[in-house]
Amino acid sequence: MMSRRGHGYALLSLAALALLSVNLRIPPIAISPVIELMRADLGLTSAAAGLLTSIPVLCFGLITPFTSLLLRKIGVNHAVLYCLTGLIIGTIVRSGGTLTAAIGGTVIIGAALTIGNIAIPMLIGRDFKTRAVLVTGIYTASVNVGTTAAAALTAPFAEIVGWQLALANWAIFAVLALVLWVIVYPPHLDRPRWMDAVAPEPAKPVSKERAQFEELSTATIPIAIVKPGDSRGFRPYAWSVAWLLAIAFAAHNLAFYAVASWLPALLSQSQEMTPSQAGFAASGFQALAIVGPLLIPTLGAIFSWNATRLMVLVSSLWIAMPLGMLVAPSFWYLWVICGGMAQGATFTVIFSIVIQRTASIDQNRKLTAFVQTVGYTLAAAGPVVTGWLRDISDGWSGPLLAVLVTTVILAVSGIWAAKSRAPAPGY
């Protein structure tokens, strides 16, 4: 039976991961409710304003290979310090009140978030591998808690203190996450503070704390230690499963950023809502994403659903949103529910497959970097392409058809990746 102290250590690890995750999408989402105020004060064109929301996504794709190398060199514990410090600095700089500060701060934020995108899947694979689906769900749900809060609270804050302080205030959460991270995951270690080795040494006695962590492998919140391993023969670009996961992730993110960018305007025009009503309705898309990641481990545990069945479910929910908005727009609330649940759950399923199909932390790092590089680079075009289609079609049919095609691509590639048993090259 595990002691309260052992359970406390496990919960503290999850708390550190969750608080880090909360910060990973607040900065780009927080801009949307106050973008018109920023345009007025900074004299931005629509293109420049759009750049402030697309820069982080471009960073996710373009900087990921370099971030992956950084993580290999200094480790997860140390790298996350750069992530959270960068978020604090970038959030404050972006609120400086000039165009240069806004762009410069956004670049810093994008680079910092890229580190977090790679670090968290590696951390889950290292410390929570035996419960990867559950902990990935907690991670994704935590991210969506942050996005929902940012979407709902930034505009009211701006009415009281102005958009600059409203955006800068979100740095407080990064400060809290930084403090907890240093307590739980010191940068000079490659494990939690209280673990005295990366893997058990059978010939040597282990500490009481270490034994408690090993006991977690069969407890409610288990932690399993995975050795770094040698992945010199592992080449994601030569593996069909890696390409299928990358395509699925790209399609998922392209659909997400397209919907997140244009849903308020779509609801305002098609349902004759006021801007505030449309914004509140669209926030459900973010809020419901909290449910999706928690649904996945529940289905896996209760019904023993494998990755293929889970991918069929989440891709079907994704397809339902644009299809429903095209054929039955009056039921928009139902389609928002489907899309919101799908966008949170899809991330969980994809990266659960990444974790399950890799045999070491370094393989995890390489595959995660490859999937995110392809996915986020393509996803940055989502809001631009859907906006262009809206202009040339003078309505929402064009953008919705584009999102529908994208979600079908997600379904085909994601289900194929989940079912594939193609071995990784070099292993």
Side-chain angles (χ1 to χ4, degrees), residues 44-113:
L44 301 178
T45 63
S46 297
L51 189 63
L52 294 178
T53 58
S54 63
I55 283 175
V57 186
L58 284 173
C59 287
F60 296 164
L62 300 179
I63 302 178
T64 288
F66 306 101
T67 302
S68 176
L69 294 176
L70 174 68
L71 277 147
R72 182 180 183 182
K73 183 179 178 69
I74 67 176
V76 173
N77 291 20
H78 194 175
V80 171
L81 292 185
Y82 290 105
C83 168
L84 291 169
T85 302
L87 287 180
I88 295 167
I89 295 172
T91 300
I92 295 172
V93 170
R94 186 179 63 177
S95 304
T98 67
L99 178 58
T100 301
I103 293 177
T106 302
V107 171
I108 296 172
I109 288 169
L113 293 176

Side-chain angles (χ1 to χ4, degrees), residues 302-326:
I302 296 177
F303 300 106
S304 299
W305 281 21
N306 58 21
T308 302
R309 288 186 176 183
L310 293 173
M311 185 60 75
V312 170
L313 173 64
V314 298
S315 57
S316 297
L317 288 172
W318 247 133
I319 291 170
M321 184 179 190
L323 183 61
M325 293 298 291
L326 281 167

Side-chain angles (χ1 to χ4, degrees), residues 2 47 92 103 140 170 209 213 237 286 297 325 342 370 417 423:
M2 181 176 300
I92 295 172
I103 293 177
T140 313
W170 293 111
E209 289 80 6
F213 259 82
Y237 60 85
Q286 301 290 351
M325 293 298 291
F370 178 78

